[in-house]
Amino acid sequence: MSMNVFRLAGDMSHVFSILVLLLRLRVGRNAQGISVRTHELYLVVFITRYLDIFTKFYSIYNSAMKVLFLASTASIIYTIKYKEPIKTTYDKAQDSFLHWKFAVLPCAVIAVITHMIGSGMEKFDLTELLWTFSIYLESVSILPQLIVLQRYREVENLTGNYVFFMGAYRALYIVNWVYRANTEKGYQHHWVVYFCGVLQTLLYADFFYYYVKAKSKGGKLTLPTTS
């Protein structure tokens, strides 16, 4: 994948979101309003997508990013689930989205179906199948976090910034795809990636609206009730 300013900005937004969350956990010493299930989904995404880290070398930047995302996501999960005093502040009752049943399983089924339709048994490729699965799963991985925020309603500042930069990362990648399609000769379109990227960005739309509204007024980010 070639580098351009939009891809770099997207990657840095992703990295910054992780740093903000780690700062949030370190400074706040609590996990209120944070969904560990979202990070469990992201860890599955990264593991299934980055299997080629052991077989292919693209660049130092590419490898460093893969290691960073894997290590930081695993660290966040460990910190929330097992490290005191943060562990005792994590509210499982609020973070109750059945992610294995309603995210991982459906995405796995869809990935198998679309991969078989596109490749068939003769060209079956497990690595490609897992990569496709990771694309589907990433598109809905933020759902548990958005649900937790909706239940708490009042969003702590660093938590809001973390979610905003996660959404900005995906929005910037959409711009990256448009830019590459118009500037790179022989650029190959991947409609599954496009669809999932747009879907993922749309999931943030409501949050973006209230985040920008709160920042513009200098007030606290508060999400509306679902009733």
Side-chain angles (χ1 to χ4, degrees):
M1 182 184 292
S2 63
M3 179 61 69
N4 61 67
V5 65
F6 302 111
R7 181 196 170 193
L8 180 61
D11 286 345
M12 292 305 101
S13 182
H14 195 174
V15 170
F16 196 61
S17 73
I18 293 172
L19 294 178
V20 168
L21 179 55
L22 290 172
L23 177 64
R24 157 77 172 79
L25 293 173
R26 182 177 179 83
V27 173
R29 306 295 289 171
N30 71 77
Q32 290 182 352
I34 305 297
S35 169
V36 76
R37 298 191 176 199
T38 274
H39 294 283
E40 289 174 343
L41 291 178
Y42 272 113
L43 185 59
V44 174
V45 167
F46 297 143
I47 289 173
T48 53
R49 183 176 301 172
Y50 298 152
L51 289 174
D52 63 351
I53 195 173
F54 302 106
T55 58
K56 294 181 181 179
F57 177 78
Y58 298 100
S59 67
I60 293 176
Y61 174 86
N62 184 277
S63 298
M65 284 294 166
K66 290 177 179 178
V67 172
L68 173 63
F69 293 145
L70 283 164
S72 59
T73 304
S75 174
I76 290 168
I77 294 171
Y78 174 80
T79 299
I80 295 175
K81 297 184 75 171
Y82 303 109
K83 193 170 182 178
E84 295 288 3
I86 297 173
K87 171 186 174 181
T88 55
T89 66
Y90 169 61
D91 192 347
K92 293 181 180 179
Q94 298 296 333
D95 191 17
S96 59
F97 180 76
L98 301 177
H99 56 328
W100 302 112
K101 182 177 181 180
F102 294 119
V104 174
L105 182 59
C107 289
V109 171
I110 295 172
V112 170
I113 293 173
T114 55
H115 183 68
M116 294 303 295
I117 291 174
S119 302
M121 284 301 297
E122 295 181 357
K123 296 182 180 180
F124 179 82
D125 186 327
L126 180 59
T127 302
E128 182 70 19
L129 171 61
L130 292 175
W131 180 86
T132 302
F133 163 72
S134 76
I135 297 298
Y136 286 125
L137 185 60
E138 185 181 15
S139 70
V140 295
S141 289
I142 197 62
L143 269 177
Q145 180 62 69
L146 294 177
I147 291 172
V148 169
L149 294 183
Q150 190 68 53
R151 288 172 175 172
Y152 274 93
R153 293 195 63 223
E154 289 194 358
V155 182
E156 189 271 339
N157 186 50
L158 287 176
T159 303
N161 292 338
Y162 140 68
V163 176
F164 174 80
F165 283 110
M166 280 295 292
Y169 137 71
R170 181 46 64 190
L172 285 165
Y173 255 70
I174 293 178
V175 181
N176 161 62
W177 298 330
V178 174
Y179 175 82
R180 293 183 64 197
N182 287 277
T183 59
E184 291 184 21
K185 292 183 178 180
Y187 176 71
Q188 294 184 344
H189 295 279
H190 201 302
W191 301 107
V192 169
V193 173
Y194 295 165
F195 172 79
C196 291
V198 171
L199 172 62
Q200 185 177 353
T201 305
L202 288 175
L203 289 177
Y204 286 93
D206 190 60
F207 175 85
F208 281 161
Y209 171 77
Y210 289 103
Y211 178 89
V212 172
K213 184 178 179 181
K215 290 296 181 182
S216 66
K217 294 183 177 180
K220 189 175 182 63
L221 174 58
T222 303
L223 301 179
T225 59
T226 55
S227 58

